[in-house]
Amino acid sequence: MGGSVGAVSSNGVYSFTKPNRESITLITGLGVEGDVHAGTTVKHRSRMLRDPSQPNLRQVHLIHEELFDEVRTAGFEVSAGQLGENVTTRGIDLLGLPAGTLLRLGDEAVVEVTGLRNPCPQIDGFGHGLLKQLVGRDEDGATWRKAGIMSVVLTGGAVRPGDPVEVELPEGPHRPLEVV
């Protein structure tokens, strides 16, 4: 089971979007080299306010490119990096992966999936009404989220558009992704 990297993005300053790059370098235990969210402890502003000593389970943000096609049918033009992700993938059901899944990106890099991204209200600043496309409730009242997944870097390395992505599911009973 696998897919490919459609785009890579990073930004050294807090900004909603991240510019696309020719490559990014993942650093073991930290995240994307030069990215504002890299570090061993939380770097997202809301989490830093609550407890800056929390471990950073959001070192690398991944979104499936197919999401852009989905929101386009609702009238939104979104492309790689514009929702703040570091890695845009193709051909992988990221949201269906269990916690603990390993993703091998390119020749060297390996990330471990930690959970779901909880989309924030800033998304509506990018496109009014877009947030409702990324989070909502099903007919049973359960919340669904489509804004991608978060991961930590187990093995560093360069990641480029076009690189393969290999999926390695964890052993044992699979735990569904929860917000991290």
Side-chain angles (χ1 to χ4, degrees), residues 8-13 18-19 21 23-39 59-60 86-87 153 156-159:
V8 294
S9 310
S10 67
N11 201 339
V13 298
K18 294 187 179 193
R21 308 288 182 190
S23 71
I24 57 173
T25 301
L26 303 187
I27 301 173
T28 304
L30 293 177
V32 179
E33 181 178 47
D35 192 81
V36 70
H37 294 110
Q59 294 174 359
V60 181
N86 300 111
V87 179
V153 182
V159 182

Side-chain angles (χ1 to χ4, degrees), residues 5 87 100 128:
V5 174
V87 179
H128 183 69

Side-chain angles (χ1 to χ4, degrees), residues 80-176:
Q82 290 185 318
L83 294 180
E85 77 277 10
N86 300 111
V87 179
T88 309
T89 65
R90 283 187 220 141
I92 300 172
D93 178 14
L94 295 177
L95 302 175
L97 297 174
T101 297
L102 301 183
L103 299 175
R104 299 181 185 284
L105 307 169
D107 294 333
E108 301 172 280
V110 179
V111 299
E112 179 179 350
V113 176
T114 55
L116 294 169
R117 174 190 184 194
N118 192 27
C120 67
Q122 283 183 322
I123 290 173
D124 268 347
F126 180 79
H128 183 69
L130 181 58
L131 182 61
K132 288 183 180 180
Q133 301 297 312
L134 303 179
V135 64
R137 294 197 182 273
D138 66 19
E139 60 277 353
D140 297 325
T143 302
W144 50 262
R145 293 171 178 83
K146 296 182 181 180
I149 63 172
M150 307 307 282
S151 65
V152 295
V153 182
L154 298 183
T155 306
V159 182
R160 296 173 185 81
D163 279 350
V165 178
E166 295 177 23
V167 177
E168 184 179 322
L169 297 175
E171 290 186 25
H174 292 169
R175 292 180 298 119

Side-chain angles (χ1 to χ4, degrees), residues 21-88:
R21 308 288 182 190
E22 290 182 20
S23 71
I24 57 173
T25 301
L26 303 187
I27 301 173
T28 304
L30 293 177
V32 179
E33 181 178 47
D35 192 81
V36 70
H37 294 110
T40 58
T41 57
V42 293
K43 300 300 176 202
H44 287 77
R45 290 178 175 168
S46 63
R47 285 168 172 71
M48 287 173 35
L49 287 173
R50 280 184 270 170
D51 179 3
S53 68
Q54 295 175 74
N56 188 3
L57 301 177
R58 300 166 57 102
Q59 294 174 359
V60 181
H61 177 199
L62 299 97
I63 283 185
H64 54 294
E65 187 175 73
E66 293 83 357
L67 176 65
F68 305 147
D69 297 331
E70 185 179 327
V71 299
R72 190 172 296 114
T73 65
F76 297 95
E77 284 300 320
V78 180
S79 59
Q82 290 185 318
L83 294 180
E85 77 277 10
N86 300 111
V87 179
T88 309

